[in-house]
């Protein structure tokens, strides 16, 4: 290998690592912005002001009275008037049965509680849907005050409560109230669903653009320097150097967009999960940490997969790039593909990584025993052995910690499945690896996409299936 080739390879590796780092940092910032944008109070109590709209309710009444015609409570059949003064003047002590008020058909508290599990809604989204014309009905103060946070169905079918509050409803009014509630819930679901999709798309796109900008910027700088070096050494002409720089920048920007968009979307989607285990892994930015590992070692693994280099050469190159980097990145990525439950597959991938690191350790030990190596080469391989052994222990300890803290109730399943995966890794039994992963997927309520190696290959090749 010549000096120029060595320069190109070292620079190319540094370029990938720098690009991965730029994307990772951009993802962290975008994820923090998304978390702030979609943050909502945990409790409805004390936060009604975020979701109620006096102006919307006032407008609903004014629209109903604007033509000057007679207005009737749709549920009690009583005539309504717009002001308290007129209600008291015309109806005396019975004025509350005739004063018009705007009622949230589906109660605000129910809407807020129903949206708790959706990480893609802002308080303003909920406010707009809750106070839309589809969820506002003009009825009497008597009806509105008595209903409170009950649904229409709960309210109009509780005869004892209605009698105690002296609420008199017509049969047609009861049926209308139930019908209005069903329609309101349907509309609210549609509105909040559209808002969620819109927010997710916009947030992901913004994160992708930011990551593309950062990745493209750093790659453009490094590629320019590398190509300028090539021009000065007569390896390229200026036109080709400019073309290659633009090509490198475009690829980095495209990679940044896809990763930034996808990782921020995943991060925000997982933010409201009830699993403390998934929350902990998501907050540690594990998805982002995979980026640099994949980018830094992809070339070596690709050449190994196509047979361009031997197993020994692959191990040596990976040792130079950092054995821990490839073990962490690729093992966790494979774990996510095997177990299609967000982030959980990454943790199991860490276990697989410990097995692979341990196996690599023993292979390198055997290499020391079987071959007469130069003194420096022997020391380098021994360092790699020690590093692999240390990482194997770290990955195992990390997984044991996760299991102890968050998955103690699933321990028997995990012990059985991981033992099967461990044995399968050592024996090269791919079917058993899939079977072990499926045991965990079933236990955690995930969907099984494949049972055999052939089905797994078909699953990965299916363009209609999205694998995180």
């Amino acid at each position: 290998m010549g000096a120029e080739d060595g320069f190109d390879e070292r620079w190319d590796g540094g370029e990938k690592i720098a690009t991965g780092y730029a994307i990772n940092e951009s993802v962290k910032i975008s994820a923090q912005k998304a978390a702030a944008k979609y943050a909502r109070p945990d409790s409805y109590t004390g936060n009604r002001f975020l979701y109620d709209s006096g102006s919307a309710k006032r407008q609903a009444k004014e629209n109903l009275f604007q033509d000057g015609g007679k207005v009737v409570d749709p549920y009690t059949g009583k005539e309504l008037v717009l002001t308290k003064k007129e209600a008291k003047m015309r109806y005396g002590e019975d004025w509350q049965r005739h004063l018009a008020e705007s009622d949230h058909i589906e109660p605000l508290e129910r809407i807020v509680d129903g949206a708790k599990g959706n990480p893609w809604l802002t308080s303003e989204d909920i406010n707009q849907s809750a106070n839309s014309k589809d969820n506002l009905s003009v009825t009497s103060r008597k009806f509105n005050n008595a209903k409170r946070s009950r649904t229409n169905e709960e309210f109009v079918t509780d005869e004892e409560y209605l009698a105690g509050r002296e609420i008199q409803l017509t049969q047609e009014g009861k049926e209308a109230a139930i019908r209005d509630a069903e329609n309101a819930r349907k509309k609210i679901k549609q509105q909040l669903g559209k808002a969620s999709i819109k927010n997710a798309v916009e947030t992901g796109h913004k994160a992708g653009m930011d990551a593309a900008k950062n990745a493209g910027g750093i790659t453009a700088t490094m590629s320019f320097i590398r190509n300028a070096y090539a021009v000065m050494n007569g390896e390229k002409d200026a036109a080709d150097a400019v073309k290659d720089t633009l090509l490198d920048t475009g690829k980095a920007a495209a990679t940044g967009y896809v990763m930034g968009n996808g990782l921020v979307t995943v991060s925000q989607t997982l933010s409201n999960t009830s699993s403390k285990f998934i929350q902990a892994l998501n907050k540690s930015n594990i998805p982002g940490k995979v980026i640099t590992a994949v980018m830094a070692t992809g070339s070596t693994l690709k050449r190994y997969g196509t047979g361009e280099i031997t197993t020994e050469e692959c191990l040596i190159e990976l040792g130079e790039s950092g054995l821990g980097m490839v073990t962490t990145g690729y093992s966790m990525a494979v774990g996510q593909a095997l177990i299609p439950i967000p982030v959980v597959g990454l943790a199991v991938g860490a276990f697989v990584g410990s097995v692979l690191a341990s196996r690599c350790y023993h292979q390198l030990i055997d290499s020391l025993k079987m071959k007469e190596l130069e003194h420096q080469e022997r020391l380098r391989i021994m360092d790699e052995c020690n590093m692999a052994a240390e990482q194997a222990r770290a990955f195992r300890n990390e997984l044991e910690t996760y299991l102890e803290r968050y998955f103690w109730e699933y321990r028997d399943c995990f012990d059985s499945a991981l033992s099967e995966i461990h044995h399968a890794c050592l024996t090269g039994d791919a079917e058993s690896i899939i079977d072990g992963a499926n045991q965990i997927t079933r236990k955690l309520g995930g969907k099984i996409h494949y049972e055999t190696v052939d089905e797994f290959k078909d699953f990965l090749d299916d363009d209609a299936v999205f694998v995180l």
Side-chain angles (χ1 to χ4, degrees):
M1 179 183 294
E4 291 80 3
D5 293 335
F7 173 85
D8 287 340
E9 288 197 8
R10 290 193 301 273
W11 190 271
D12 185 55
E15 201 170 290
K16 290 177 180 178
I17 293 174
T19 301
Y21 178 81
I23 296 173
N24 191 22
E25 290 302 300
S26 180
V27 165
K28 286 197 294 185
I29 294 172
S30 295
Q32 290 168 357
K33 289 181 178 178
K37 177 178 179 179
Y38 298 107
R40 304 197 303 271
D42 293 331
S43 172
Y44 170 78
T45 304
N47 294 294
R48 180 185 173 90
F49 69 95
L50 291 173
Y51 309 108
D52 200 1
S53 173
S55 61
K57 292 189 290 187
R58 183 169 55 254
Q59 189 63 51
K61 289 192 299 181
E62 293 175 354
N63 290 342
L64 199 59
F65 283 89
Q66 66 181 355
D67 60 2
K70 182 179 179 180
V71 176
V72 176
D73 186 317
Y75 309 133
T76 67
K78 301 290 186 179
E79 183 177 0
L80 299 176
V81 296
L82 186 58
T83 67
K84 182 190 294 186
K85 181 179 179 180
E86 184 181 1
K88 288 185 174 181
M89 184 170 53
R90 291 178 58 180
Y91 300 103
E93 293 183 357
D94 204 29
W95 66 273
Q96 292 191 54
R97 297 184 189 275
H98 299 275
L99 176 62
E101 283 194 355
S102 292
D103 168 56
H104 292 104
I105 299 174
E106 182 71 1
L108 286 179
E109 187 170 1
R110 299 298 182 99
I111 298 173
V112 173
D113 286 344
K116 276 186 177 179
N118 190 329
W120 292 107
L121 292 174
T122 65
S123 295
E124 180 61 25
D125 292 326
I126 298 173
N127 182 302
Q128 291 182 2
S129 181
N131 295 282
S132 67
K133 61 183 181 63
D134 299 305
N135 195 47
L136 288 177
S137 175
V138 178
T139 183
S140 68
R141 169 173 286 194
K142 187 80 170 177
F143 179 97
N144 191 30
N145 282 352
K147 180 186 171 187
R148 310 294 292 177
S149 288
R150 295 172 177 82
T151 65
N152 278 11
E153 292 92 339
E154 292 170 343
F155 182 54
V156 304
T157 58
D158 190 341
E159 297 294 345
E160 183 178 351
Y161 180 77
L162 292 175
R165 299 302 297 266
E166 298 181 344
I167 305 297
Q168 301 167 354
L169 302 174
T170 65
Q171 182 60 36
E172 293 80 5
K174 291 181 179 180
E175 294 173 357
I178 294 174
R179 186 169 56 252
D180 287 348
E182 292 173 348
N183 291 335
R185 277 193 290 272
K186 181 179 178 181
K187 291 292 186 180
I188 290 170
K189 182 178 180 180
Q190 292 175 345
Q191 292 163 4
L192 294 183
K194 289 180 180 179
S196 297
I197 295 173
K198 178 176 179 290
N199 288 340
V201 170
E202 289 181 350
T203 300
H205 176 67
K206 177 65 167 55
M209 292 299 291
D210 289 344
K213 180 180 179 181
N214 289 347
I218 195 167
T219 300
T221 302
M222 297 186 72
S223 181
F224 172 78
I225 296 172
R226 175 164 53 86
N227 281 287
Y229 177 87
V231 171
M232 288 186 293
N233 282 277
E235 300 168 14
K236 292 183 181 180
D237 59 31
D240 287 338
V242 171
K243 179 181 177 181
D244 289 345
T245 298
L246 293 176
L247 183 61
D248 291 341
T249 303
K251 287 181 178 179
T255 300
Y257 181 86
V258 172
M259 289 187 171
N261 188 324
L263 289 170
V264 170
T265 300
V266 168
S267 176
Q268 180 59 26
T269 299
L270 295 177
S271 63
N272 276 11
T273 179
S274 59
S275 169
K276 293 182 179 179
F277 174 67
I278 294 179
Q279 287 179 353
L281 291 182
N282 186 48
K283 289 179 181 179
S284 70
N285 193 35
I286 283 180
K289 292 176 181 177
V290 173
I291 295 174
T292 304
V294 172
M295 297 187 71
T297 59
S299 175
T300 296
L301 294 183
K302 180 179 179 181
R303 288 189 293 122
Y304 175 66
T306 57
E308 295 179 39
I309 59 176
T310 65
T311 300
E312 183 176 317
E313 289 171 330
C314 177
L315 289 174
I316 291 174
E317 286 195 19
L318 292 181
E320 293 172 351
S321 300
L323 183 60
M325 188 175 287
V326 67
T327 303
T328 304
Y330 274 90
S331 296
M332 297 177 81
V334 170
Q336 185 64 74
L338 286 172
I339 302 178
I341 297 177
V343 184
V344 175
L346 296 175
V348 176
F351 169 82
V352 176
S354 72
V355 175
L356 296 179
S358 177
R359 192 175 184 185
C360 175
Y361 167 78
H362 291 294
Q363 286 178 338
L364 291 172
I365 288 293
D366 290 340
S367 178
L368 278 175
K369 293 178 179 178
M370 294 173 61
K371 295 184 179 182
E372 289 295 325
L373 300 174
E374 298 270 330
H375 180 65
Q376 283 188 328
E377 187 71 356
R378 181 181 294 109
L379 292 178
R380 187 182 64 78
I381 290 182
M382 290 180 67
D383 287 341
E384 289 185 9
C385 292
N386 292 331
M387 180 174 62
E390 182 179 350
Q391 288 180 337
R393 289 191 294 271
F395 284 133
R396 290 175 187 275
N397 292 337
E398 182 180 7
L399 184 63
E400 286 295 320
T401 300
Y402 292 151
L403 293 177
E404 191 67 28
R405 289 182 180 175
Y406 308 112
F407 277 113
W408 57 269
E409 67 270 38
Y410 299 107
R411 193 171 189 86
D412 288 342
C413 171
F414 270 66
D415 282 346
S416 174
L418 294 178
S419 293
E420 183 174 350
I421 292 174
H422 185 177
H423 180 72
C425 286
L426 297 177
T427 59
D429 184 357
E431 299 279 358
S432 294
I433 292 177
I434 292 174
D435 180 69
N438 283 346
Q439 288 183 42
I440 297 175
T441 301
R442 290 191 184 94
K443 183 67 175 178
L444 298 180
K447 181 179 179 181
I448 302 299
H449 294 286
Y450 35 76
E451 299 282 356
T452 67
V453 171
D454 289 338
E455 290 176 2
F456 179 65
K457 291 178 180 178
D458 292 338
F459 175 76
L460 293 180
D461 291 335
D462 188 355
D463 292 336
V465 178
F466 174 71
V467 179
L468 179 62

